[in-house]
Structure formats: structure tokens, C-alpha cells
């Protein structure tokens, strides 16, 4: 082995160990010790080193794995369809490179339409409805196996216990994000302070810590909300569903599920960049925290053609915002001149 590759190997091992520790703190303990931007930077370094040394990629690398192991205190739920992660773009050029990859893979330059969605900063949850009744709720966990949090989810007031309408499938899994609004987070923290209880670092940690409680009575006192962003299992499989992701979201909304009001559709990568700028400009005024936006190829047929890689769909990408602490740093650098 050359000197170069042995030092890459050491760097890769070191990055993996560090990221595994950060994953455990973030996903299992709900107590991260580094900002997301720092985590993203290290993950990007790992991905680049692995791309330069493909023989060193192993299935247990954090670059190939989703989330964290479910806590054993909860009953486990095996997802019928895995709950995956998303690829990231950190600038406009990588978003346009994503669009080009889609065209190349589809061998077509036909304009693509995208569902554009705020990337809510909470945690992914799967809700299973049978004959319209909520029967099970689970966290994403490691993507294959999550935690059964049904009793806790039943306390979230904007999640219906029963779906309405006559087009409801016999069995349907609705996926989305549980999060805390900025106002709810401020209120909770003031209450915590007044009671000399733990104060949360941000709405994401507050949401994760509140949802993964062993006592649903505690969850019930926390201002959690849910927004739908996709469908999982639908049965019977022969059921005719709309042909685009955005129409499916509207259908799910007609059953009584809450949908983020800031979702839009865009034409081509350029349309996505305009949406990104619009959301970035209005970010402060939004009632919920986001860490970027998500773009999904709207056509379900094209999604099926594009398929998946190890831990993410090929037809979607998250374009991240510069983190707040990064923004502060950027602004202070600009003003130094
Ligand atoms: P991801 O960034 O890969 O994106 C997938 C997740 O996005 C989904 O599971 C869902 O929860 C969420 N999401 C929000 N809105 C969505 C929408 N409209 N459509 C689809 N999904 C939507 O998520 P991940 O793999 O859980 O997290 C990785 C990120 O978490 C990192 O980039 C980092 O910022 C953060 N993280 C931080 C630390 C830390 O120590 N600070 C550790 C681990 C992860």
C-alpha cells in the first residue's frame, strides 16, 4: 500500500470514529455537542476521501448509514419501506450538478418539475393508518428499524386520530416531520426556566427530546406539530394514486393531514434556485426552523426510474442554508474591511 493511501485510510478511520460519536449524541441522546455545520463539513470530507479511494468504502461507514440505532427502551418497529436520508447540496453549482445528473441518468433533456419543500428541522416520523384509524407511529431510527412512539404521537394535536374522506386506502403510511414552532419553543423554554428544568438548545433538540419520552404525559405538555412530506406503504397496491408527488401531498391533505403551507412546485434547476432564494429571504419570518430546502422530482414515474443509492433517493436533494453561526461569521468577516 502506498504512503498516500495509508494516510487516507487513517484520515477516513478518524473521521468515521468522530462522526459515529456525533451521530450517537445527536440521534440517540438528542444532545449534540457540535454545530450541524461542523458535522456537515466532516461528513463532506469523509465522502470526498471515500470517493477518491472507493476500495475503502465499507457498508458501516457513516457516509453509508442512516440516523442512529433505536433506543432499546422503546418497542422496535421494522419499516416496510426503509426511511432514508437525503443527499446534500451546499451551493447553487451542486444543485445544478444534481439537475444534470438527473438528465444524464434519464438520458433526456426534457424540463424536469420539482416539488420544493422547506426542510423542517425536527425529526422524521412514520404514521400508519388502517381503515382510516391511526394504529402506529414510529421514528426513523437507523432507517430500517425505528422506535414505537404511538402513545406519544397521539398527544400531538394536529395529527388526526382518524382520516376523513372516501378515498382513504385501507392501509396507508404517512411520513413527515415532527417539529416545534419557534413560538412554541420560546414558550417551552420560558416554562422550563421558571421551573428550573432543562433549557433546550434549539427547536430541533426540543422536538426530539419531547417526542422520545417514555412517559406520554410529558410529550403531551410539549408544543409539538407535524407536517406531512411523503407516503410510505399504500395498500391495496392496485389503488390508483395521483401521478405526481405534489398531487399526492394535496390528496393526503384532503384526508385531514397537515401540510406545510410554503411548499411549491418549480420548473427546472433554475426554478429551484429561485425558490431557495425566496425561502432564504423569508426564513426569519417563518414560524418554524428550517435548515434548508428539499427538491424532489415531482413525477412518480421518473422517481421510480431514478431509484436509490445506499442511503438516499437519487431523485431528491436537500440544499442546505449556511448555518446561523456560519452566517454570523460571514457577516463579521464582511464588516472587517
Ligand atoms: P438529512 O439531512 O439527510 O435529511 C433527511 C431528513 O430530512 C428526513 O429524515 C426528515 O427528517 C427531514 N426532512 C425535513 N423536511 C423534509 C421534507 N420536506 N422532505 C423530506 N425530508 C425532510 O437528515 P439526517 O440524515 O437526519 O440528518 C443529517 C443532518 O443532521 C446533518 O446534515 C446534520 O446537519 C445533522 N446532524 C448533526 C449532528 C451534530 O452532531 N450536530 C449529528 C448528526 C446529524
Amino acid at each position: 500500500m502506498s504512503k498516500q493511501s495509508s494516510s487516507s485510510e487513517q484520515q477516513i478511520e478518524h473521521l468515521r470514529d468522530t462522526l459515529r460519536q456525533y451521530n450517537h449524541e445527536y440521534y440517540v441522546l438528542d444532545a449534540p455537542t457540535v454545530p450541524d455545520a461542523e458535522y456537515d463539513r466532516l461528513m463532506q470530507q469523509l465522502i470526498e476521501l471515500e470517493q477518491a479511494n472507493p476500495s475503502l468504502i465499507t457498508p458501516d461507514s457513516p457516509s453509508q448509514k442512516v440516523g442512529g440505532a433505536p433506543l432499546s427502551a422503546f418497542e422496535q418497529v421494522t419499516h416496510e419501506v426503509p426511511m432514508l436520508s437525503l443527499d446534500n447540496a451546499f451551493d447553487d453549482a451542486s444543485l445544478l450538478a444534481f439537475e444534470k445528473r438527473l438528465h444524464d441518468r434519464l438520458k433526456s433533456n426534457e424540463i424536469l418539475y420539482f416539488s420544493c419543500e422547506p426542510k423542517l428541522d425536527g425529526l422524521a416520523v412514520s404514521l400508519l393508518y388502517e381503515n382510516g384509524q391511526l394504529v402506529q407511529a414510529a421514528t426513523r431510527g437507523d432507517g430500517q428499524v425505528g422506535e414505537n412512539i404511538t402513545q406519544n404521537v397521539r398527544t400531538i394535536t394536529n395529527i388526526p386520530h382518524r382520516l376523513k374522506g372516501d378515498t382513504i386506502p385501507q392501509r396507508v403510511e404517512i411520513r413527515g416531520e415532527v417539529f416545534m414552532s419557534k413560538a412554541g419553543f420560546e414558550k417551552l423554554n420560558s416554562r422550563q426556566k421558571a421551573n428550573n428544568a432543562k433549557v433546550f438548545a434549539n427547536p430541533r433538540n426540543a422536538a426530539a427530546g419531547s417526542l422520545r419520552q417514555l412517559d406520554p404525559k410529558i410529550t403531551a405538555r410539549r408544543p409539538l406539530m407535524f407536517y406531512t412530506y411523503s407516503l410510505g406503504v399504500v395498500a391495496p397496491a392496485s389503488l390508483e394514486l395521483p401521478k405526481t408527488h405534489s398531487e399526492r401531498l394535496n390528496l393526503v391533505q384532503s384526508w385531514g393531514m397537515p401540510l406545510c403551507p410554503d411548499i411549491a412546485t418549480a420548473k427546472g434547476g433554475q426554478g429551484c434556485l429561485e425558490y431557495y432564494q425566496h425561502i432564504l429571504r423569508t426564513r426569519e419570518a417563518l414560524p418554524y426552523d428550517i435548515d434548508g430546502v428539499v427538491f424532489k422530482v415531482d413525477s412518480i414515474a421518473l422517481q421510480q426510474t431514478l431509484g436509490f443509492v445506499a442511503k438516499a433517493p437519487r431523485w431528491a436533494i436537500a440544499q442546505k442554508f449556511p448555518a446561523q453561526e456560519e452566517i454570523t461569521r460571514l457577516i463579521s468577516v464582511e464588516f472587517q474591511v
Side-chain angles (χ1 to χ4, degrees), residues 19 21-27 31-40 43 65-67 83-88 90 117-125 140 176-177 204 228-230 245 263 291 294 296 311 318 320:
L19 287 165
Q21 183 199 328
Y22 292 162
N23 278 345
H24 183 74
E25 291 166 353
Y26 184 89
Y27 293 115
T33 56
V34 289
D36 288 354
E38 173 65 10
Y39 175 92
D40 289 341
M43 178 63 91
K65 294 188 74 153
V66 175
M83 293 184 78
L84 298 180
S85 182
L86 288 168
D87 267 351
N88 287 322
F90 293 97
E117 306 169 14
K119 186 167 188 290
L120 300 156
D121 207 5
L123 63 163
V125 166
R140 183 179 63 165
E177 195 85 346
R204 196 266 165 204
T228 305
Y229 58 64
S230 71
H245 172 79
I263 292 178
D291 60 345
V294 185
K296 302 173 183 168
K311 70 168 196 177
K320 294 283 195 101

